[in-house]
Structures are given as C-alpha cells and as structure tokens.
Amino acid sequence: MIAAQAKLVYHLNKYYNEKCQARKAAIAKTIREVCKVVSDVLKEVEVQEPRFISSLNEMDNRYEGLEVISPTEFEVVLYLNQMGVFNFVDDGSLPGCAVLKLSDGRKRSMSLWVEFITASGYLSARKIRSRFQTLVAQAVDKCSYRDVVKMMVADTSEVKLRIRDRYVVQITPAFKCTGIWPRSAAHWPLPHIPWPGPNRVAEVKAEGFNLLSKECHSLAGKQSSAESDAWVLQFAEAENRLQMGGCRKKCLSILKTLRDRHLELPGQPLNNYHMKTLVSYECEKHPRESDWDESCLGDRLNGILLQLISCLQCRRCPHYFLPNLDLFQGKPHSALENAAKQTWRLAREILTNPKSLEKL
C-alpha cells in the first residue's frame, strides 16, 4: 500500500514539475501581455474619469486583483475609493450578494459616487458598471493598443475585452472591505473543526473580502431593483491565505492543469474556482498539517476528485464561505453529467495506473 502511494506521489510530482510548471510559465507570460493592454486602457479611463483609478499594480511578480479563470480568460478587479459613507447590508435576502446603503444622516453630496445613489439611498452596482462600460468603450478607441483590443458587446452590462482575438479579460469595479466580515459567512469557521486554527482565522477575517459590481447569477431572472443595486461578495485573498502551507498549492495546481487539459467541456461546467473551493473543503476534512505533507499528495488529490464527482452527480457545489450559494447554478444538467463521467475516468486512470500521468 505504501509503495503504491509513493509511486503515485512520485508521478504526481513529475507531473507538477513538467506540466504544471509549464502551464504556470505560459500563463505568467500571457498575464504580462494582457496587463500591458489593460493598463493602457485603464490609463485612458482615468484621464476621462479620475474616480476610476487603475489599481492593477505588479507586486512580487503578481498583479493584485487579477484572477486567472482559465489560461485564456482573466478577471481584473478595479478597486474604487471611498466606500466610507455607506453601511454594508448583508441580510441574506440576496444569496452571495450585499448592498451598500448611505449611513444614517450622511448626505448624498458627501459621497464621491453621488449620481449612482438610488432614491432609497443604495449605491447601485449596475449604474456604476454601466458608466464604467461607456468609459472603457471610449478608452479602447483611444488607447495605443486599439488594433489588438476589442470591447465584447453582449446583452450584459459587464465589461469584457477581447485581446489579440485570443484572450478575454473582464474588468470589474469593486470595493475592498477589510476589518469586517459578512453576516452570511458568520458560521465560519465551523466550531467542531480544528482547522484553520484561531490565528489563521483572525488573519483571514482581517483580510476581509471584496464587493464586485458584476451580474449575480443567483439573482438571474429576478429583474428587481435589489438586483441592480446588489454587489457580489468575493473572498479571493482570504481563500489564498487559507491554502498556504503543506502541499495545498501544489494540489490545486495539479487540479487546475487536469481541468485545463481534460475537463474543458461543452457548457463549461467546471472552472478553476470549483477546484479552489474543493481544496478548502478537503482542508476541513483533513485538518491536521500532517495530512498535507508531501507524502499525502496522492490521497488529497484522490479525495478531491471523488468529492468533485459527488458534487457533479448531485448537481450542487456550495461556495466555501457562503454555502447557500451553489456554484453550479445555471449550468446545464447534461454538461454536469458529462463532467462527472470525464472526472471519474480521470480519477480511475490516475489511481489504477499512476504512470498514465505522463500522457495526461
């Protein structure tokens, strides 16, 4: 048994060193190329409208606010200033979302975003987004990369750019919320689970979360004023901090590489974020640091793939911090079924014949 485990770990490490590192290098190169174009567009936006200041800065070889959705798809979060005059309202009525309401007694005129505040005193995410969309469309025509960048115009108010006909970048206005924690995530961490420990919990909660101005899939079809005012909760930095240490990052990197190569399927049932979410759940199931030793890499990967198959078969993948939010919502059932079959083939092959990783 131990020999079989060691063999699997050996092949997974080989896969990581060859395939995953090559994927990382290729994506890093793409990010540099994409960020040059996006920075240029955002500089033009800032010239027209100084409230939208680009926050796309490189730090320690990574760009703050950039998320890799797939090797050709990215999201850039543009952090806005001055949220201070608003109260954060998160009463659970909008799954995965919250609203920003003028603090009692604050005058509209005290806000930098005065014209985007509704009659009821909410800061409308959609109004800000549609203003931003207009500015980006104008900036694309003026920027020095205009020959290689196009605005993707669909029946959406989201801002998406197509670069060199190869890459798609969504630019999302957002507020960074530090030092507060949403009520809808108040159940975390679960009291009976020793992971991640009080110090890490304090760090994660201090890191806070982001409020994104993007279309909320959990509210799709409910064309209410609440939906247009709502901001989507995002926990990227908190999740990254939780997944430090042991073989967690390596495990996630292998899962992303397998997804890109074998689970990029019609209907797009799976993305990198599903993998990241399942790694967090696996950390809860295996709370000891020794469970994430390099020698356990095969067991952890196998556990996550089996959990993924279970989620796909049940057609439900709960968000890690907001379990009422289903990350498979809106995905076609046939696509989820197909992904379950493909994941099962992949898991079986890796487990029964680790050497097959050379061809995967």
Side-chain angles (χ1 to χ4, degrees), residues 143-156:
C143 78
S144 49
Y145 290 97
R146 56 186 165 277
D147 299 340
V148 298
V149 60
K150 290 187 189 76
M151 182 103 163
M152 292 171 70
V153 184
D155 53 347
T156 168

Side-chain angles (χ1 to χ4, degrees), residues 18-153:
E18 290 168 9
K19 310 270 171 61
C20 300
Q21 295 291 34
R23 173 189 181 272
K24 275 185 181 174
I27 288 175
K29 189 170 177 245
T30 302
I31 286 172
R32 279 194 294 277
E33 192 181 332
V34 155
C35 284
K36 268 186 203 153
V37 179
V38 173
S39 295
D40 207 57
V41 170
L42 291 176
K43 270 196 199 97
E44 281 296 334
V45 168
E46 202 179 315
V47 168
Q48 300 168 61
E49 174 52 274
R51 287 179 298 183
F52 290 101
I53 300 166
S54 173
S55 52
L56 188 62
N57 302 316
E58 193 176 359
M59 279 168 68
D60 307 327
N61 283 336
R62 63 184 287 263
Y63 285 88
E64 193 195 2
L66 182 132
E67 290 288 308
V68 178
I69 293 160
S70 80
T72 57
E73 205 177 337
F74 306 89
E75 181 170 21
V76 169
V77 172
L78 181 82
Y79 292 111
L80 306 174
N81 285 329
Q82 208 233 21
M83 194 184 93
V85 299
F86 296 99
N87 280 333
F88 168 74
V89 183
D90 162 37
D91 58 7
S93 60
L94 308 167
C97 300
V99 289
L100 292 171
K101 193 172 192 331
L102 267 179
S103 309
D104 291 344
R106 296 285 186 137
K107 295 189 176 68
R108 268 184 185 67
S109 57
M110 291 172 76
S111 170
L112 187 63
W113 306 100
V114 57
E115 72 271 39
F116 305 109
I117 299 171
T118 64
S120 336
Y122 292 107
L123 182 63
S124 169
R126 188 191 289 269
K127 283 183 179 177
I128 285 188
R129 192 163 64 241
S130 85
R131 171 76 179 130
F132 183 60
Q133 192 180 44
T134 307
L135 293 167
V136 172
Q138 291 165 2
V140 163
D141 290 338
K142 288 183 184 168
C143 78
S144 49
Y145 290 97
R146 56 186 165 277
D147 299 340
V148 298
V149 60
K150 290 187 189 76
M151 182 103 163
M152 292 171 70
V153 184

Side-chain angles (χ1 to χ4, degrees), residues 267-281:
Q268 296 183 309
L270 291 175
N271 57 37
N272 284 345
Y273 191 65
H274 294 119
M275 301 304 182
K276 194 180 188 185
T277 299
L278 291 173
V279 171
S280 293
Y281 280 119

Side-chain angles (χ1 to χ4, degrees), residues 321-337:
F321 285 115
L322 310 169
N324 290 340
L325 189 63
D326 177 17
L327 299 178
F328 286 158
Q329 187 170 350
K331 302 281 182 191
H333 287 179
S334 57
L336 296 173
E337 220 161 280

Side-chain angles (χ1 to χ4, degrees), residues 184-234:
S184 47
H187 66 283
W188 183 86
L190 297 174
H192 56 283
I193 289 175
W195 182 82
N199 292 349
R200 184 62 61 90
V201 169
E203 279 173 27
V204 166
K205 288 192 171 183
E207 191 69 60
F209 55 97
N210 294 326
L211 288 176
L212 307 185
S213 169
K214 65 197 291 187
E215 295 187 355
C216 185
H217 299 297
S218 64
L219 301 175
K222 300 178 188 166
Q223 291 300 325
S224 61
S225 62
E227 185 223 358
S228 72
D229 297 338
W231 296 76
V232 174
L233 293 153
Q234 186 230 40

